[in-house]
Amino acid sequence: MAEWLLLTNVKDVDASTIALWYYWRWQIECFFKLVKSAGHHLESWQQESAMAIAKRLLVASMACVTVWAIAADKSKEAAELRLFLIKLSGRQMRHKKEFTNPALLSGLWVFLSMLEIMEAYSQEELDSLKATAQQFLGKDV
């Protein structure tokens, strides 16, 4: 077994509180990873007003919260949804790794885009587009 140490200069606070603070710090780091590099690319946003940034950050934050809820749910349905989102993301997982939050976020984006398309086009229009795509691909889609 390994021993884990957390060094701090904070005094008059019990160790369990400091460990809790550290836990929350890492949750924030995971959030920033999703927002900055693993999905939303926050650092490349080019909004020109504080309100535009706030609105976009709100939407990105809600997507992250949704992914965390999907990741944390232990139900069979949530496990099936995670597998489905991973397939949609096109990302490969490391050996014995069921999912990652960035992959879930990517798959969720694809799924939401699919739902929007399914609402915008009729089944006949989608079948026609599928047939056209098959002509270009030379195989069944």
Side-chain angles (χ1 to χ4, degrees):
M1 291 289 160
E3 183 177 355
W4 188 82
L5 298 173
L6 178 61
L7 303 176
T8 181
N9 60 357
V10 176
K11 297 176 180 163
D12 301 327
V13 177
D14 63 292
S16 62
T17 300
I18 291 171
L20 182 62
W21 291 346
Y22 195 72
Y23 166 81
W24 284 113
R25 177 190 177 274
W26 276 109
Q27 293 303 312
I28 292 167
E29 290 295 327
C30 292
F31 168 74
F32 280 124
K33 180 181 178 184
L34 279 177
V35 174
K36 289 172 67 176
S37 62
H40 297 290
H41 306 289
L42 173 107
E43 293 176 336
S44 65
W45 290 359
Q46 296 182 2
Q47 275 64 38
E48 296 185 7
S49 71
M51 184 57 75
I53 291 171
K55 286 178 181 178
R56 188 164 180 183
L57 189 57
L58 183 63
V59 170
S61 297
M62 191 60 213
C64 292
V65 168
T66 302
V67 163
W68 288 334
I70 293 167
D73 193 313
K74 302 298 183 204
S75 69
K76 179 183 174 193
E77 295 81 10
E80 291 172 359
L81 178 61
R82 285 191 296 271
L83 182 61
F84 176 71
L85 294 178
I86 293 302
K87 287 181 180 181
L88 287 179
S89 76
R91 298 190 181 184
Q92 293 182 340
M93 298 295 106
R94 290 183 180 174
H95 184 62
K96 295 188 179 183
K97 182 83 172 167
E98 181 185 345
F99 65 89
T100 64
N101 288 345
L104 290 177
L105 183 63
S106 178
L108 182 62
W109 173 253
V110 172
F111 186 47
L112 293 175
S113 298
M114 287 172 50
L115 291 175
E116 187 175 337
I117 291 297
M118 291 170 67
E119 289 179 7
Y121 292 88
S122 69
Q123 184 63 49
E124 294 78 24
E125 291 171 313
L126 290 172
D127 288 340
S128 175
L129 290 169
K130 177 182 175 182
T132 302
Q134 285 175 334
Q135 292 174 5
F136 288 100
L137 296 171
K139 59 180 180 177
D140 290 335
V141 177

